[in-house]
Structures are given as C-alpha cells and as structure tokens.
Amino acid sequence: MIDHTQIALAFTGASGALYSRRLLEVLLAQNFTVHLMISAAARIVFSDELDWKLPARSSDVHKLLVTEFDCDPDLLHVYGEQQWSAPLASGSHRVGTMIVCPCTMGTLSSIACGSSNNLINRAADVMIKENRQLILVPRETPFSAIHLENMLKLARLGVCILPPNPGFYFKPSQLSDIVDFVVARILDQANIEHQLMPRWGDVDSE
Ligand SMILES: Cc1cc2nc3c(=O)[nH]c(=O)nc-3n(C[C@H](O)[C@H](O)[C@H](O)COP(=O)(O)O)c2cc1C
C-alpha cells in the first residue's frame, strides 16, 4: 500500500532554508518522488536566506526547481497552500513519510491542535490519523512553554521532533558540513540511505 519511493515535504517560514534546499536536492538526486508544499512565509524566508524568489504559481515553482536541480520533472509535484485536490489531503494516498523542514512554531501549533487550515497542516493531520511517519524540524530559540507543550503532545502521538541541532564532534569546517549533519539525521529518521557524512564509530579516532 505505501510507496516508499514517495515523500511529502513541506517548507514553512522558519529560518533554515539551507536545510530545505539540501534535503530536496538529496531526495531528488536519489530519485524519490517529492510532493512539495511551501507556505507563504517560507517564500519570504527563502528570498532572504537563499535569494530564491519563488513564483506565486505552483507550476512556475515546479519549473524553477526542476531547472535548479536538473531533475526528471515527473519526480517533483508542487502544491498550493489551499490545493485541497492534492492527494496529500486524503488518507488514500500512498506516501508513508512527511517531513516539515523547517517547521515554524505556528505550523507546529496548528498540527498539534489539528486545525488543518492549509494543505501542510491537513497533510500532517492525515499522516497522524493514518499512523504514518511525520518528521518535524522545529526552529525557534528559546522555546516557550507553549512550543514545548506542543512538541510533547506530538511526540506522544509518535511524531518525530527533530530540531536542527548540529553536533560538532566531526569538526565541521564549512557551513555545508553543518547543514549536512542535520539533513543526515532527517534522512536517518526517514530510513533513507545517504553518504552525507560518516557515522559515529565508522571513522578511526586518534
Ligand atoms: C526572516 C524570517 C524568519 C523567521 N524565522 C522564524 C523561526 O525561526 N521560527 C518560527 O517559528 N517563525 C519564524 N518566522 C515567523 C513565521 O514565518 C511566521 O510565524 C509565519 O506566520 C509562519 O507561517 P507558516 O507556519 O505558515 O510558514 C520568521 C519570519 C521571517 C520573515
């Protein structure tokens, strides 16, 4: 029933667009079919952090990203925030894993209370109700008690709460090492093979 070659991916308006771009790049390079949702706030943050000016129409975003990542156009599906006709709006779809990276405190809150007021929230709600895998990469600092309670509530429902907290034990020498550390942890949770970085214990320590 579940098609493990398909992934749902949502970008929301928290800082961390570098993680989003790298994650999408790796998934497409591995020939996953990606069902992509981008919030209005994410477009603003992407324009600030990546100089990516994402067009308003989903079909234009699709065109831009297919060119950027030089991928098979059929691997990428881009949906609008209110596109209720999207397969992800229903539990009948075959996607087993959804990743929200980064995840704002606003989207976290909407998911925690099941508001389903845009496609990202609805798709996440579907993943929870269908007992499928949902991975959230929440970005804020410091966290308030509201944020922490929302995360605890979702963690108790089986949602993976994966803050983008890089470890420094591999001695990163550039920003991309730190980005890859976080993306590697997300891929591990999604059970996706990668060679982004060595695993602890795989490299000889001095
Ligand atoms: C440049 C920029 C950075 C932001 N960073 C964060 C952040 O790290 N975490 C967060 O929860 N909200 C952040 N926000 C605020 C959210 O974008 C805002 O709450 C928005 O309503 C979230 O909508 P969304 O969840 O639909 O993307 C940021 C906004 C901007 C413009």
Side-chain angles (χ1 to χ4, degrees), residues 1-6 90-97 130 132:
M1 181 62 178
I2 296 296
D3 177 351
H4 295 285
T5 66
Q6 298 191 38
S90 157
S92 61
H93 69 67
R94 292 167 169 273
V95 179
T97 296
E130 298 292 334
R132 303 203 195 157

Side-chain angles (χ1 to χ4, degrees), residues 2 11-13 21 73 76 86 88 97 108 130 150 171 174:
I2 296 296
F11 299 155
T12 67
R21 182 174 65 184
L76 184 64
L88 297 171
T97 296
L108 177 82
E130 298 292 334
N150 285 333
K171 301 187 179 67
Q174 50 200 0

Side-chain angles (χ1 to χ4, degrees), residues 43-122:
R43 288 162 186 271
I44 296 169
V45 178
F46 275 43
S47 142
D48 277 8
E49 296 187 354
L50 292 179
D51 288 331
W52 258 9
K53 307 283 178 228
L54 293 179
R57 283 173 38 188
S58 300
S59 56
D60 292 335
V61 175
H62 178 267
K63 213 177 291 174
L64 185 143
L65 295 178
V66 164
T67 306
E68 166 102 10
F69 296 113
D70 193 20
C71 70
D72 177 346
D74 292 341
L75 287 181
L76 184 64
H77 303 267
V78 182
Y79 305 103
E81 274 201 290
Q82 305 294 326
Q83 194 173 334
W84 305 113
S85 59
L88 297 171
S90 157
S92 61
H93 69 67
R94 292 167 169 273
V95 179
T97 296
M98 173 172 169
I99 304 166
V100 184
C101 175
C103 182
T104 64
M105 297 305 101
T107 291
L108 177 82
S109 160
S110 300
I111 297 171
C113 71
S115 69
S116 288
N117 54 5
N118 64 30
L119 183 61
I120 294 173
N121 300 337
R122 169 62 184 165

